[in-house]
Amino acid sequence: MFTMPGVTWLDVARGTMPELKRIAEDGASAALAVRTASTRPSPVRGFLTLGAGNRGAGSDIEEAEHAFMADDPLQDVSGSVTGEAELTLRVGAHRKGEIVHLGVPALQAAQDRSYHGTRVGALGEALADAGIKRAVVSAAGHREFGDVRDVRGSPVLGLVDETGTVDAGQIRGMLRGDAGTPFGVHTIQRALQKEFTDALHDTRVVLVEGGETMRADEFAPLATPRQAIEHRQRALVRTDRLLKTVVDELGPEDLLLALAPSSPRSWRGPEHLTVAVAYGAGVRPGELVSSSTRRPGIVTLTDVAPTVLAVLGVPRPDVMSGRPIDVTETDRTDRVGQHAGLDRSSQFRERFVRLVFYIFVGLFALLSILVGLVFLARARLRSLLIGVCYFILAVPLASFLIAFFPLWRSGTGGAHTVLWTLGAALAALAWFIPGPRWVGATALLAATAGLVAGELLGGGQPLVNAVFGNSVLAAGRFYGIPNTGSAVFFGAGVLALTGLAEASGPRRRTLIVMSGFVVLLALIGLPPWGADFGGLLTGIAAVAIILIVLRGGGNLPWRPLVVAGIIAVIATAAVAYADSLRSAEMQTHLGRFAEGLLSGDGTAWTVIRRKAAQSFGSLGFTRFTYIVPLGAAALAVLLHRQRGPLGGALPSYPWFRAGLAGLLAAGVLGFALNDSGVAVPALLLGQAVPVLVLLGLDQIRPRGQTTDQPSQAS
């Protein structure tokens, strides 16, 4: 493994690293998602994640960089001790090795608090148990000889075992003073080549870190932006030369993984996708892919450790969340350009959606204020309220439509212009649809649900980096539909189907709507399409409640509710179990969760704890939090029995009433079962409330009527 923190495909596409570009074209490549347990890129978290096969946390721990040669003298209160002796004081019995990392105990304590189930050194431990020797050759320090503050031992975390040792290697003697480089040193190419050659002959797995990009990245905050860029460019050139040195030493049976385990910190703005290349024995030209992503050309940092083990025939430990990387042939001629384009679009998505979500929340706040003014104060703002309702319902549809076009080329300003103009045009079309006002809303919702359904049936590519789609940088989901997209899809589908039922005759509408519910749930939950575990469980329960409300005339008896919950759990468990029976390459996270649950190894419980922590934690930081109280207030105004326009009139819309009950239940369950937390009920309310507002306006003043009429509630 040749590591180069902070290197992106944009660097390669600019021609800065010709050797890396050559092996990428001759071998297999992919954009590497390096998100760890934090959104802040860090070489420590990157190397920790690489060596754990799971997301790492805790890079702010001082000891995270404290790696030494075993015989290095360290100053202690009682005098001078060696690195090995200090490790013994910290961990007790440990394997013998030439390199020790003293921060393993503190880092493991940080992982235990992060709910990811990460084991520091899981890769090194699995290799050691299999009798496979490891070596680290790293020139990542700030000085050749200095105190502990100059140590940069994080690369050792890539191959350290759980006791804090690495069999062989060297982290000294490869630096030379140079006043023109960050921290006054650069890596001696011949020295690194010699240490690598020795390690390659004596061990089977070697991690090489040249140190140049790490120093340039860390030095950037101390320099002007222009000077930081110049230092980084020189570091990239030197790193490419070091890579060529390593490539020249490879034999016909050697496999090289060249990768950047962290995004550059020196660049202001969102993190980047980085570089992953496989070159050498057994690698044919193509793209890298894993069952973690199921998308050729995209892999994750957690996949690297399982890949190393798979190449050497070592079983993957259950604590590793990643899956082995494979090579797939492709007809793409410019893979470097494709990876760089994906990086650009991923960065654009993160910049773009932030403002989109805030505007969406702002529109909903305006809607809630207008509801109070129109229905309580009788203000003459009905036309504005109608327009805001249609506009809110049109925004998700517009966001899915623009996902088919590379809007990142036009910049965030141009993309916002297109999105909001398209949203306004769709809202205007809905306005002019004849009939009650809610018919226009039903049309928008049906178009949204139909478009998402088509995207899922077609493989879901337009959902990648869409506003309500899968964020590649967040690396939470690369296939299927994410929690936010699932909430939008389910809410639009339920309201469109119930609206269709209200607008159609009674003869066949039940059969049509039920068939629609089946298709909706299948697309959300089944592995070939949406693969949303929480969405499937929530959706089945919500649809059952809709049917109970329809049959009971508005009542919710507890026995059918209990039965509905049991059916939802059994059906979802059956889907997950069936997925677990498929091959590892075909499994989704549903099958992996079922495997963990059945094996009793604790991984399933770790997932549940992490999702619960993230769900309840979302109440404190997400922008969607504000929609919930605003939506609840609007519902209170609309459904109040004495003054609300729908309090007594909603029974005349039995399908909408049942749909509202189902969506409210889906919001509660979605909050509890998904790590997106409050975003799920917020987005469901974001669709249900505008529809109910339009129903209420039709009760007060039907379309074409010039004066208010008494509502059925009064």
Side-chain angles (χ1 to χ4, degrees):
M1 292 182 285
F2 183 88
T3 60
M4 39 194 169
V7 176
T8 73
W9 284 112
L10 295 174
D11 299 317
V12 183
R14 295 186 184 109
T16 310
M17 307 184 75
E19 180 65 11
L20 180 56
K21 183 176 183 179
R22 183 190 70 79
I23 67 170
E25 292 173 343
D26 293 343
S29 60
L32 182 65
V34 293
R35 178 64 63 89
T36 62
S38 170
T39 58
R40 293 175 298 165
S42 159
V44 171
R45 291 191 189 94
F47 283 111
L48 195 156
T49 299
L50 188 156
N54 205 348
R55 295 195 181 197
S59 69
D60 53 347
I61 298 173
E62 183 180 354
E63 290 85 353
E65 297 281 11
H66 290 181
F68 304 93
M69 301 304 294
D71 56 358
D72 276 350
L74 307 178
Q75 292 300 317
D76 186 69
V77 292
S78 58
S80 180
V81 297
T82 64
E84 182 178 7
E86 181 65 21
L87 182 65
T88 302
L89 289 173
R90 298 190 182 195
V91 304
H94 57 81
R95 294 185 178 91
K96 297 296 182 181
E98 295 180 6
I99 300 175
V100 297
H101 198 298
L102 305 182
V104 169
L107 284 169
Q108 186 56 56
Q111 311 317 305
D112 295 339
R113 296 189 295 269
S114 72
Y115 299 111
H116 282 80
T118 302
R119 295 297 304 175
V120 179
L123 172 59
E125 188 73 13
L127 293 172
D129 288 343
I132 296 174
K133 293 187 66 176
R134 303 152 286 133
V136 172
V137 176
S138 173
H142 284 182
R143 297 180 188 176
E144 181 52 39
F145 298 101
D147 61 25
V148 72
R149 292 171 296 181
D150 298 312
V151 171
R152 292 298 178 268
S154 55
V156 175
L157 293 170
L159 281 180
V160 74
D161 61 30
E162 293 181 4
T163 66
T165 63
V166 177
D167 298 308
Q170 183 58 259
I171 57 176
R172 294 279 187 268
M174 291 172 281
L175 297 180
R176 175 179 296 158
D178 185 345
T181 59
F183 301 106
V185 292
H186 74 255
T187 301
I188 306 172
Q189 183 172 325
R190 290 185 179 179
L192 183 128
Q193 180 181 18
K194 176 184 180 303
E195 297 295 345
F196 169 65
T197 303
D198 293 343
L200 191 64
H201 290 162
D202 297 337
T203 59
R204 293 184 64 188
V205 182
V206 185
L207 186 150
V208 182
E209 168 52 51
E212 297 288 3
T213 57
M214 282 186 66
R215 284 188 291 270
D217 195 33
E218 192 171 350
F219 190 77
L222 307 177
T224 64
R226 180 176 179 179
Q227 195 68 11
I229 291 173
E230 290 186 6
H231 285 312
R232 187 172 187 277
Q233 293 302 310
R234 296 191 192 105
L236 292 172
V237 172
R238 291 193 294 267
T239 298
D240 197 60
R241 292 172 183 164
L242 295 174
L243 172 63
K244 188 177 189 311
T245 296
V246 169
V247 171
D248 290 343
E249 293 296 317
L250 297 178
E253 296 182 355
D254 292 327
L255 170 66
L256 171 69
L257 296 178
L259 54 99
S262 63
S263 174
R265 291 181 296 177
S266 58
W267 292 7
R268 280 71 174 175
E271 59 187 300
H272 283 255
L273 299 173
T274 65
V275 170
V277 175
Y279 175 82
V283 178
R284 60 189 185 278
E287 291 183 307
L288 301 175
V289 66
S290 76
S291 61
S292 296
T293 65
R294 299 175 67 184
R295 293 200 179 279
I298 308 175
V299 294
T300 73
L301 186 58
T302 56
D303 295 329
V304 175
T307 303
V308 173
L309 296 178
V311 169
L312 297 170
V314 179
R316 179 187 62 84
D318 293 330
V319 294
M320 290 186 179
S321 63
R323 292 296 186 271
I325 297 171
D326 201 357
V327 177
T328 180
E329 295 182 0
T330 178
D331 55 359
R332 295 181 181 180
T333 56
D334 182 17
R335 284 183 279 123
V336 170
Q338 292 286 340
H339 303 327
L342 180 62
D343 184 22
R344 289 191 184 97
S345 66
S346 298
Q347 280 205 311
F348 165 80
R349 190 261 180 193
E350 300 309 306
R351 292 192 301 267
F352 180 59
V353 300
R354 186 178 296 112
L355 183 55
V356 171
F357 288 155
Y358 279 119
I359 294 176
F360 187 82
V361 173
L363 287 170
F364 200 83
L366 176 61
L367 171 67
S368 302
I369 293 171
L370 290 173
V371 166
L373 293 174
V374 170
F375 291 113
L376 296 181
R378 304 301 181 186
R380 298 181 179 275
L381 297 170
R382 292 185 184 88
S383 296
L384 178 59
L385 179 55
I386 294 169
V388 171
C389 287
Y390 286 140
F391 196 31
I392 289 175
L393 294 174
V395 169
L397 175 58
S399 74
F400 287 119
L401 284 171
I402 65 173
F404 289 93
F405 305 98
L407 288 184
W408 58 269
R409 298 181 185 275
S410 61
T412 54
H416 277 290
T417 301
V418 172
L419 174 64
W420 303 116
T421 302
L422 180 58
L426 293 170
L429 289 175
W431 183 295
F432 289 107
I433 292 177
R437 297 181 180 95
W438 57 263
V439 174
T442 301
L444 288 173
L445 293 163
T448 302
L451 182 61
V452 177
E455 291 175 352
L456 289 173
L457 289 171
Q461 182 61 39
L463 292 174
V464 175
N465 283 332
V467 172
F468 294 103
N470 297 306
S471 168
V472 178
L473 282 179
R477 184 87 63 83
F478 299 90
Y479 55 85
I481 190 167
N483 297 331
T484 52
S486 181
V488 171
F489 181 38
F490 184 73
V494 167
L495 290 170
L497 289 169
T498 53
L500 177 64
E502 294 288 1
S504 61
R507 179 176 296 179
R508 293 185 178 180
R509 67 182 177 188
T510 301
L511 177 61
I512 294 173
V513 173
M514 287 305 302
S515 300
F517 282 148
V518 171
V519 172
L520 182 65
L521 293 174
L523 289 176
I524 287 175
L526 295 186
W529 301 302
D532 183 6
F533 183 92
L536 179 61
L537 181 58
T538 298
I540 294 173
V543 168
I545 289 174
I546 292 173
L547 299 178
I548 292 171
V549 172
L550 282 171
R551 185 175 180 181
N555 296 321
L556 282 174
W558 68 269
R559 285 189 179 88
L561 288 177
V562 172
V563 173
I566 294 173
I567 291 173
V569 171
I570 292 174
T572 306
V575 171
Y577 177 70
D579 190 40
S580 71
L581 298 178
R582 301 198 299 172
S583 64
E585 295 77 16
M586 296 297 295
Q587 279 182 12
T588 67
H589 62 284
L590 281 81
R592 293 195 284 270
F593 178 78
E595 277 189 345
L597 201 62
L598 294 173
S599 67
D601 57 15
T603 55
W605 175 240
T606 298
V607 171
I608 292 172
R609 287 197 306 160
R610 183 178 73 249
K611 287 183 177 293
Q614 292 173 333
S615 177
F616 285 96
S618 70
L619 291 172
F621 67 85
T622 177
R623 58 191 70 83
F624 291 117
T625 304
Y626 303 105
I627 290 183
V628 175
L630 291 170
L635 287 177
V637 172
L638 293 168
L639 299 176
H640 192 281
R641 284 198 172 273
Q642 298 301 319
R643 301 183 62 187
L646 289 177
L650 200 56
S652 61
Y653 298 101
W655 285 91
F656 274 132
R657 180 182 59 183
L660 175 62
L663 291 184
L664 291 176
V668 175
L669 292 173
F671 169 78
L673 297 174
N674 292 285
D675 50 13
S676 295
V678 74
V680 174
L683 290 171
L684 292 174
L685 284 173
Q687 294 174 304
V689 171
V691 174
L692 292 176
V693 169
L694 295 172
L695 282 170
L697 290 170
D698 282 330
Q699 288 297 113
I700 293 177
R701 182 186 293 180
R703 176 173 281 183
Q705 184 171 305
T706 58
T707 59
D708 291 354
Q709 66 178 14
S711 70
Q712 295 183 32
S714 59

